[in-house]
Amino acid sequence: MNDALCEHIVARKSKPMDFIIRILIIVVIVAVAIGGLPFLGFFAFALAAILALLAYYFAFPLLNVEYEYSLLNHDLDIDAIYSKEKRKSKMNLDIQNAEIIAPKGSHRLDSYHPEATCDFSSGNANAKIFAIMIPINQKMTCVYIEPDENMIEHMKQWMGMKMFVD
């Protein structure tokens, strides 16, 4: 078979809100431990320990995200990897159904007005981010990805005149 596979992983840059969320979780845990001491005694420390474990296993991993793009011929799969342990499929696209693929901020995207936007890029301002305008569930959706050069070349083969690199 002549199937071509391209894979690329992009780590999402930490947002300022991620740091604030971490601090708030820690403050709540400390407040439960200290504030609950007069009312609950030793049980307040046990409750704080349980909250700390829940935050460690459920909240903190969601703040460390990588996106993996897998392009098999014209099928693009986007997965989120949380704390380099847990994988969740985010989106599956057939890029041949896309209206246009162009760099983010390109004038070629001016005539498109998406109803929804999905950002699967690193968030780095200097990165070369591409916008895929594609109908998903009868809504025009803009999907931001950050492919490498190999993936861009592979997408050009399938997209033809709908793929722009400006």
Side-chain angles (χ1 to χ4, degrees):
M1 296 184 119
N2 293 330
D3 291 337
L5 175 68
C6 298
E7 292 182 329
H8 184 58
I9 294 180
V10 174
R12 187 185 79 187
K13 183 177 138 183
S14 293
K15 299 175 184 175
M17 193 62 168
D18 293 347
F19 182 72
I20 293 169
I21 291 171
R22 288 176 198 259
I23 296 298
L24 285 175
I25 290 172
I26 292 170
V27 167
V28 166
I29 292 169
V30 171
V32 166
I34 295 172
L37 191 59
F39 304 107
L40 303 173
F42 179 73
F43 184 69
F45 286 112
L47 184 61
I50 290 170
L51 288 175
L53 285 172
L54 290 173
Y56 179 76
Y57 284 108
F58 295 111
F60 290 157
L62 296 177
L63 302 175
N64 183 8
V65 181
E66 294 178 334
Y67 295 112
E68 180 185 46
Y69 315 127
S70 299
L71 184 64
L72 178 63
N73 296 334
H74 52 84
D75 294 322
L76 177 65
D77 294 327
I78 302 172
D79 296 338
I81 303 170
Y82 299 105
S83 293
K84 298 183 181 184
E85 293 175 1
K86 188 176 177 185
R87 175 185 302 266
K88 183 176 181 185
S89 179
K90 288 295 190 179
M91 191 173 281
N92 299 320
L93 304 171
D94 183 352
I95 61 171
Q96 287 184 324
N97 294 334
E99 299 284 327
I100 186 172
I101 301 176
K104 182 178 180 181
S106 173
H107 66 86
R108 298 177 194 276
L109 299 170
D110 292 343
S111 63
Y112 294 92
H113 304 287
E115 298 174 50
T117 302
C118 300
D119 190 356
F120 300 115
S121 67
S122 67
N124 187 352
N126 298 329
K128 184 143 184 170
I129 298 171
F130 279 78
I132 302 173
M133 294 292 179
I134 189 166
I136 299 174
N137 298 330
Q138 289 77 40
K139 287 173 140 179
M140 183 56 71
T141 305
C142 179
V143 178
Y144 292 123
I145 63 169
E146 195 174 318
D148 60 353
E149 292 299 321
N150 184 29
M151 192 171 282
I152 291 170
E153 289 300 319
H154 184 71
M155 286 169 37
K156 280 183 194 176
Q157 293 174 359
W158 289 100
M159 292 305 295
M161 297 302 291
K162 294 191 228 177
M163 175 80 181
F164 300 96
V165 291
D166 291 343

